[in-house]
Amino acid sequence: ETGVTQTPRHLVMGMTNKKSLKCEQHLGHNAMYWYKQSAKKPLELMFVYNFKEQTENNSVPSRFSPECPNSSHLFLHLHTLQPEDSALYLCASSPGLTSGMSSYEQYFGPGTRLTVT
Amino acid sequence: RKEVEQDPGPFNVPEGATVAFNCTYSNSASQSFFWYRQDCRKEPKLLMSVYSSGNEDGRFTAQLNRASQYISLLIRDSKLSDSATYLCVGGEAGYALNFGKGTSLLVTP
């Protein structure tokens, strides 16, 4: 399945490094999401973009910086991370978020497994 | 965020058994409901949507009770490959989906 792709699949970085995670969706969707999932923990919604505009930021530390240049691409820029930021970072997309219309199912990418040393 | 609550389990059942999961949602404005399946160290994948009239997909049956604000998933004739975490999901128009914390299922030989 190649509807939502993420790169890299695995990343090891030091606390002083700067890196970026990339997500691309090929489904013609207009909403994209970043989630964090720590080991054996539930999904945590981080950011939501709808038609390239950020609509939700769930109190995410500023060391995580999202970027959505167009409806097909989503980035998560990382800098000065902490070891507790080690987790699986999942990107998802859906057709769009529109008031008055039922929510659509989200499709997830395979995730980037991040280890901060 | 409005909560979706589900029993974390684990549910340990023998192969061939029938198992049912329930979840409750607190946001009465939720209009869309889904069940997702997540295998260990993998991404969540859509299992099925949940319709007001109830719906069935092979061995899986989903039900929605709007009056009591709960959703159920019934798995008949469990297979070893059904072992996974099942996520209950509710959605309000205009907002990101609200995922439950998941119910762990282990089907044993």
Side-chain angles (χ1 to χ4, degrees):
Chain A
E1 297 177 7
T2 58
V4 182
T5 58
Q6 290 186 244
T7 55
R9 295 292 306 276
H10 300 270
L11 177 61
V12 179
M13 60 185 288
M15 290 189 284
T16 58
N17 290 161
K18 289 185 179 181
K19 296 287 184 182
S20 295
L21 309 185
K22 178 183 176 182
C23 175
E24 183 173 1
Q25 58 92 3
H26 311 273
L27 301 169
H29 289 168
N30 295 299
M32 296 188 77
Y33 314 79
W34 279 117
Y35 288 85
K36 174 185 177 182
Q37 189 170 38
S38 302
K40 299 189 178 180
K41 294 285 181 65
L43 290 170
E44 298 175 44
L45 180 63
M46 301 174 73
F47 301 104
V48 180
Y49 280 83
N50 192 37
F51 291 90
K52 299 190 299 179
E53 298 296 320
Q54 187 180 125
T55 59
E56 199 161 341
N57 175 341
N58 281 320
S59 304
V60 181
S62 59
R63 57 185 184 270
F64 295 91
S65 175
E67 178 190 0
C68 188
N70 55 61
S71 292
S72 299
H73 294 86
L74 186 64
F75 296 89
L76 187 63
H77 304 299
L78 317 171
H79 64 97
T80 59
L81 294 192
Q82 305 298 311
E84 60 264 29
D85 296 323
S86 298
L88 180 67
Y89 288 84
L90 290 158
C91 173
S93 72
S94 70
L97 298 173
T98 306
S99 297
M101 293 185 64
S102 296
S103 297
Y104 296 102
E105 57 269 27
Q106 292 174 195
Y107 295 89
F108 286 83
T112 295
R113 191 160 298 280
L114 173 67
T115 302
V116 181
T117 61
Chain B
R1 294 186 67 82
K2 302 292 180 64
E3 293 291 326
V4 173
E5 301 284 348
Q6 50 184 139
D7 182 345
F11 284 64
N12 293 330
V13 302
E15 219 174 345
T18 295
V19 61
F21 307 136
N22 292 324
C23 88
T24 58
Y25 61 95
S26 59
N27 182 5
S28 58
S30 296
Q31 298 174 311
S32 305
F33 302 93
F34 309 94
W35 283 100
Y36 277 71
R37 169 195 170 128
Q38 185 173 24
D39 292 285
C40 187
R41 299 175 68 84
K42 296 289 183 76
E43 74 274 22
K45 293 187 177 181
L46 178 67
L47 179 66
M48 59 195 302
S49 301
V50 185
Y51 303 121
S52 297
S53 54
N55 48 300
E56 188 174 307
D57 183 1
R59 298 181 293 109
F60 299 85
T61 300
Q63 298 273 359
L64 167 63
N65 185 317
R66 288 188 186 275
S68 301
Q69 295 189 192
Y70 80 78
I71 305 146
S72 64
L73 177 67
L74 183 76
I75 306 175
R76 291 180 299 278
D77 189 23
S78 299
K79 311 292 184 190
L80 296 177
S81 57
D82 293 335
S83 297
T85 297
Y86 290 83
L87 306 174
C88 177
V89 186
E92 179 183 354
Y95 293 89
L97 296 180
N98 198 6
F99 285 78
K101 295 181 179 180
T103 297
S104 177
L105 172 66
L106 178 62
V107 181
T108 56

